Amino acid sequence: MTGRTRTPKQGRPMNQASTTDASLNDAAIATRIWPLLGACALGLVPFTIYSNFLVDITRNSGHDATLMGSLRGVGGVAALLVGLTCAPLLDRVPRRSAVIWSLLLLAAACVVGLVGPVWAWALFCLLVGAATSVLNPAASAMAADRFDDESTSGRAATQVSAVMTLTAVLSAPLLAGPAVWWGWRGDLIATAVLCSALAMALFLARPASAEHSTADRNGPGTGYLRSFRIASTLASVPMLLAASALRTAAFMGQLAYLAVLYDERFHLGAGVFSLVWTLSGLSFFLGNWFGGFAIRRADNPVVTAIAGAVAAMVGAVAVLVLFLTDHLPAALLATAALGVSHAVLAAAMTTLLVRQSGGHRGTVLGLNGAGQSLGVCLGASVAGLGAMAWGWHGAGFVLAGLTAGACFASLAAARRLNVEYRRERS
């Protein structure tokens, strides 16, 4: 397909390498990329600490809780700007170096957070947002680069996103236990130590041969702006990036108001609502994990894109049910369906972006990360405008519209992929 190149690993023919990689099961894939899974999991921990212990952090800083809470948005803006700026660079520098420096930046952010004043927390949010905007796409691309078989590469990338989802669900209770003994500062220190240790382990590890060939795959002399232009011409990539950004905006928009919705409609307090949050998170993890597994088995980009479109349709219906129903069982079912459908759509988009990007994988995944950061920033705002105009019904219709947009973008990608697929087969 247009713009795609493949580079065999050194010392073995391409067809032999691809056949060997295609036979790997999920456990074998995870074993080969476990440091990258750990890196992306650690990337979620600093903001989890900040959110969970915001009351204590606010009391320590001596500032208003509203001000301290708003600093979280600094991280989102930083992630968007840094992710967009650095996307082409992920194909021009060793991905392992990008992951290592991102982990060290996360460790530095945790140390800054120990200082305590509001300026330190603003810098903390800025550093964490910047670090994760590079860490996540670099680690995903690096995981995909470990395999020559395209379906296995896509599966490796979806494993990274699935582990990140699981971390988001489990990190809060796992951090709360140790904090009983050493407080939130102890959690920050432990995170800094783990990030530094993993960075050192990656630095000392012998890199795989594929990691030396990033510049070769991207082509000599590819300029910064030209990397953007090349990414925009890759088959179906612009539509896939649009679908991913719209999906993120819709999903994060409903998450932003989920607690308020369940409190006003069903009078669920914070304790009971934590179970609803767990239901949403586990549904997303299971959908992402098993959806990625099924997509790998299908090994057909057209089928994958259509599966993403179907998942988006289910998500659009589910978010309407969630925001329109007055029955708790229906709302819970819609919450679970939202998690699963968005997870399948996310797995489909990640797999296709990995397959279609070829030697420009770092740039494409970096742009995808920036698009998702934009979705995080805009999702709650767009849903809030809908709620202001027509209450919860308005929020539901706005979020359903965003999800429908992701469906149309996925269908457009499927049409383009079908043309390319027929051309390859003929």
Side-chain angles (χ1 to χ4, degrees), residues 239-277:
M239 287 83 79
L240 296 173
L241 292 174
S244 180
L246 289 168
R247 182 212 67 77
T248 304
F251 192 69
M252 298 307 294
Q254 63 91 19
L255 282 183
Y257 291 96
L258 197 62
V260 181
L261 175 68
Y262 271 91
D263 177 65
E264 289 189 3
R265 282 265 177 89
F266 310 111
H267 310 292
L268 297 187
V272 179
F273 175 74
S274 65
L275 300 178
V276 178
W277 189 267

Side-chain angles (χ1 to χ4, degrees), residues 103-164:
L103 287 170
L104 293 177
L105 194 60
L106 285 173
C110 291
V111 173
V112 169
L114 296 172
V115 178
V118 66
W119 67 262
W121 286 112
L123 182 58
F124 167 88
C125 292
L126 180 67
L127 293 176
V128 173
T132 53
S133 69
V134 174
L135 172 64
N136 296 337
S140 297
M142 188 175 170
D145 287 346
R146 292 286 177 90
F147 309 95
D148 287 318
D149 176 64
E150 289 184 332
S151 62
T152 308
S153 293
R155 181 57 177 152
T158 59
Q159 280 196 3
V160 171
S161 61
V163 167
M164 290 171 62

Side-chain angles (χ1 to χ4, degrees), residues 26-27 30 155 158-159 162-163 284-294 343 347:
D26 282 350
R155 181 57 177 152
T158 59
Q159 280 196 3
V163 167
F284 194 97
F285 167 73
L286 294 175
N288 195 273
W289 185 271
F290 290 107
F293 177 80

